[in-house]
């Protein structure tokens, strides 16, 4: 690959990173707190690209006479490296969803070092799936009992075909995403397609099961009502 090709690829790649960072698109790839680092990376790549392209044209002009009769260009196939970068610019892949959740075992929820703090006042209480699962499995639901709870996630399916509520948990980026899954009793959604985002209102259930992928305990929630919602701006937990 010649220097001009390298510069164009860098420019497109840096532009793709900046485009994603300036919108909510970056939240499909990394956690929210990494946005400043993405912007800095995009700026550096664009700057490096501009310098590389400028140097390429300058060198071509300066050494035009020396280059007569010689071919110093790399193979044209190097330009094919632009294709995945254009794909990143033109096609935004969806956030990880039910397929990823079904392929990976549920997150091993960490036990708290002490009693879980009481939930905020008011019903229903907004909780993350991760927080609910932690309280349900390691606090025996003590901080959840007697409260109406509201959780948001997408639909995935258990091996027996029953619907589950799930969310992908990130440590850093989508590459390390792992699902946290909840079973649903009571009045769970019926015939709702996988990857549909729903908001569930329900109460604590003592029922548990095992995730067949990694044999981790899976908590349940007793559903009172549910409704379909749009995918949140931040789809990951």
């Amino acid at each position: 690959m010649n220097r001009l090709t390298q510069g164009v690829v860098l420019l497109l790649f840096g532009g793709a990173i900046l485009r994603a960072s300036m919108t909510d698109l970056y939240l499909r790839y990394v956690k929210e707190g990494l946005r400043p680092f993405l912007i800095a990376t995009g700026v550096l790549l664009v700057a490096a690209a501009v310098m590389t392209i400028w140097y390429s044209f300058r060198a071509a002009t300066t050494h035009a006479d020396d280059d007569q009769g010689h071919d110093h260009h790399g193979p044209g196939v190097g330009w094919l490296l632009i294709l995945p970068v254009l794909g990143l610019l033109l096609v935004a892949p969806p956030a990880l969803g039910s397929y990823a959740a079904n392929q990976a075992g549920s997150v091993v929820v960490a036990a708290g070092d002490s009693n879980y703090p009481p939930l905020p006042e008011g019903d229903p209480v907004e909780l993350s799936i991760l927080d609910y699962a932690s309280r349900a499995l390691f606090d025996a639901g003590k901080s959840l009992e007697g409260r109406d709870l509201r959780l948001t996630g997408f639909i995935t399916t258990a091996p027996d075909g029953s619907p589950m509520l799930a969310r992908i948990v990130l440590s850093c980026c989508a590459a390390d995403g792992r699902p946290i899954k909840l079973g649903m009793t009571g009045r769970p959604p019926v015939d709702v397609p996988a990857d549909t985002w729903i908001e569930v209102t329900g109460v604590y259930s003592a029922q548990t099961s095992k995730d067949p992928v990694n044999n981790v305990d899976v908590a349940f929630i007793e559903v009172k009502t549910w409704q379909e919602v749009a995918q949140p701006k931040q789809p990951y937990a």
Side-chain angles (χ1 to χ4, degrees), residues 20-203:
S21 303
M22 296 303 178
T23 66
D24 294 334
L25 181 60
Y26 79 101
L27 293 172
R28 300 186 185 183
Y29 305 101
V30 299
K31 300 189 77 170
E32 191 169 8
L34 295 178
R35 185 178 195 175
F37 300 99
L38 284 178
I39 294 175
T41 300
V43 169
L44 289 174
L45 285 174
V46 169
V50 171
M51 293 299 296
T52 300
I53 294 172
W54 175 81
Y55 182 82
S56 175
F57 283 116
R58 179 174 179 274
T61 301
T62 304
H63 302 292
D65 293 336
D66 295 336
D67 288 340
Q68 288 181 358
H70 300 281
D71 184 9
H72 295 294
H73 295 285
V77 72
W79 285 96
L80 293 177
L81 292 174
I82 295 177
L83 294 180
V85 183
L86 288 176
L88 184 62
L89 279 169
L90 302 176
V91 181
L96 297 177
S98 63
Y99 178 80
N102 288 335
Q103 300 304 308
S106 193
V107 169
V108 179
V109 180
D113 296 328
S114 59
N115 293 333
Y116 286 86
L119 296 176
E121 295 295 328
D123 279 338
V125 179
E126 196 85 31
L127 273 184
S128 70
I129 296 178
L130 189 62
D131 191 14
Y132 175 88
S134 181
R135 290 171 182 265
L137 295 174
F138 293 103
D139 193 35
K142 294 176 184 176
S143 60
L144 301 172
E145 289 180 336
R147 304 296 302 274
D148 286 339
L149 313 164
R150 180 182 293 148
L151 287 70
T152 301
F154 59 82
I155 292 290
T156 188
T157 53
D160 63 2
S162 59
M164 301 183 76
L165 190 66
R167 198 97 180 226
I168 302 295
V169 180
L170 300 189
S171 296
C172 170
C173 57
D176 60 32
R178 294 284 301 279
I180 179 72
K181 310 173 190 177
L182 286 183
M184 291 184 282
T185 64
R187 300 177 179 176
V190 178
D191 296 330
V192 176
D195 290 316
T196 301
W197 282 84
I198 64 170
E199 182 182 83
V200 166
T201 300
V203 295

